[in-house]
Amino acid sequence: MVLRRLRTVLAMIAALLVISTVGYVVLAGYSLFDATYMSVITVGAVGYEEVQPLDSLGRTWTILVVLAGNGVFLYATSLLVGVFISGEFRSAVRRQREGRRRTKLVDHVVIVGGGRVGRGVAAALAREGRDAVVIDRSPRVREMAESFGMAFLDGDATTDEVLEAAQVRRAHAVITTLDDAANLLVTLAVRALAPGVRVIARMNDRSQTARLRQAGAELALSPYEWFGAELAAAATSSAVVGLQDLPSMGLQTEELEVRPGAWAEGKSLAELSARHPAAIAIGMRRGATEAWQRVEDTLRPGDVVFLLGTPDDLRSMEERFMTG
């Protein structure tokens, strides 16, 4: 909007200079250079003397040019004042600053939706010191993102343009917290644009789990079922530690895939944990997900192991035992 208004002002000034120059060439017999010079000093109200004496017709043209120039100046002033008063200029500068910030992001998290769940995700990432971009259409969500030191992007996350602006190709993960239908579209859009990026989707209706997985979501989680399970655990045990407490203890969970030729191939989860006790194997996925105590088979290439530990321990586990 701001640039369009500025372009309008510049176009009006350019048009006035061209018309004025043509008039001085035709009516006063000036050369093209002299006519251009006369137009500039007249429109600019510089007040230099005439290039050469003007007759009545030439002076009448000069009067018209001066009046037109003043009109354009007043119109331009009103437009620019309106831009500054309305806050459009500040908004444009802020959007430009946010755009420059987003272009520098690497290995960040893209949060789609700034509702209650999205805010909880942003708060957790902020505690971990992770960079993130929040995509939403609400100005209040912008304030929330800025309060967590995160970039904000006003737009529709199902479009390539917005996902590109969020630097999704360089992101570590996308977390979409909208309704099931919107999350499905976001997942498809991310998968088409950045196939290697991890996608985690909020799930409200369990019947949508298969669709979200087929669309490319690695995880489809219901915040209500998850939180309900934690409340139930808290009710039955006064010493329960919830997952929300893990970051404060310096711990996190991670999924690591067993690569062909890795040391972990052919080993059990117990052997894996014994070899690197700082990273605890808590489960495995091979088609279905199983907790560690129900896993009797040894690990094969392609199996995904769920681990609990510090970020450094988890990286060490991956480098030493999971890769070939």
Side-chain angles (χ1 to χ4, degrees):
M1 180 66 75
V2 175
L3 292 178
R4 184 165 66 247
R5 292 190 178 187
L6 291 176
R7 284 196 294 267
T8 300
V9 171
L10 293 176
M12 292 178 66
I13 294 174
L16 178 59
L17 289 174
V18 170
I19 295 172
S20 174
T21 298
V22 172
Y24 280 118
V25 170
V26 175
L27 301 177
Y30 281 9
S31 66
L32 181 60
F33 179 80
D34 287 345
T36 302
Y37 173 78
M38 189 67 182
S39 297
V40 171
I41 64 174
T42 303
V43 172
V46 176
Y48 292 157
E49 63 181 10
E50 301 165 358
V51 175
Q52 54 183 319
L54 294 171
D55 57 14
S56 298
L57 185 59
R59 292 178 179 177
T60 301
W61 180 249
T62 300
I63 292 173
L64 295 175
V65 171
V66 170
L67 293 175
N70 288 337
V72 170
F73 175 77
L74 291 174
Y75 179 71
T77 301
S78 66
L79 279 182
L80 295 178
V81 169
V83 165
F84 283 100
I85 291 178
S86 66
E88 290 182 30
F89 181 76
R90 290 193 299 273
S91 297
V93 171
R94 182 170 59 184
R95 286 194 296 270
Q96 187 177 32
R97 184 172 62 248
E98 290 174 343
R100 288 197 300 268
R101 180 181 178 185
R102 290 194 303 270
T103 59
K104 299 177 182 179
L105 291 174
V106 178
D107 198 35
H108 57 290
V109 177
V110 179
I111 305 171
V112 181
R116 288 176 294 178
V117 176
R119 183 182 182 86
V121 172
L125 292 173
R127 286 194 297 269
E128 295 180 18
R130 292 297 299 266
D131 290 328
V133 177
V134 182
I135 302 177
D136 202 284
R137 305 304 297 265
S138 171
R140 287 178 295 182
V141 175
R142 178 190 294 273
E143 296 174 4
M144 178 272 289
E146 292 177 349
S147 70
F148 288 127
M150 297 175 176
F152 175 80
L153 183 58
D154 183 350
D156 180 359
T158 64
T159 64
D160 289 353
E161 180 183 5
V162 171
L163 291 176
E164 290 280 16
Q167 306 300 321
V168 71
R169 296 179 192 270
R170 302 205 303 255
H172 176 76
V174 175
I175 302 176
T176 177
T177 66
L178 307 175
D179 59 72
D180 290 342
N183 288 337
L184 182 62
L185 294 176
V186 171
T187 301
L188 289 170
V190 173
R191 275 288 163 262
L193 198 61
V197 173
R198 179 180 177 86
V199 179
I200 301 170
R202 168 186 177 176
M203 175 189 63
N204 299 306
D205 183 354
R206 178 170 288 278
S207 65
Q208 299 299 315
T209 304
R211 290 186 179 181
L212 287 167
R213 289 286 181 85
Q214 289 171 359
E218 294 188 33
L219 287 176
L221 302 174
S222 169
Y224 308 111
E225 293 183 6
W226 186 13
F227 187 58
E230 291 221 348
L231 290 178
T236 57
S237 174
S238 59
V240 68
V241 176
L243 289 178
Q244 72 274 8
D245 298 314
L246 296 180
S248 64
M249 296 187 291
L251 300 174
Q252 68 180 45
T253 58
E254 184 66 272
E255 297 181 9
L256 297 180
E257 182 179 345
V258 179
R259 303 293 184 184
W263 179 90
E265 184 179 350
K267 305 296 190 300
S268 67
L269 292 183
E271 290 177 288
L272 186 62
S273 294
R275 187 65 179 265
H276 196 345
I280 304 171
I282 58 176
M284 184 188 77
R285 182 173 67 233
R286 183 191 295 162
T289 299
E290 296 288 348
W292 64 271
Q293 69 270 24
R294 292 197 294 270
V295 177
E296 298 178 355
D297 202 357
T298 57
L299 295 172
R300 307 173 191 169
D303 288 346
V304 175
V305 179
F306 304 132
L307 297 162
L308 174 67
T310 67
D312 290 340
D313 289 329
L314 294 175
R315 280 193 294 271
S316 175
M317 172 71 86
E318 181 176 22
E319 294 170 359
R320 297 172 59 188
F321 304 115
M322 310 298 286
T323 57

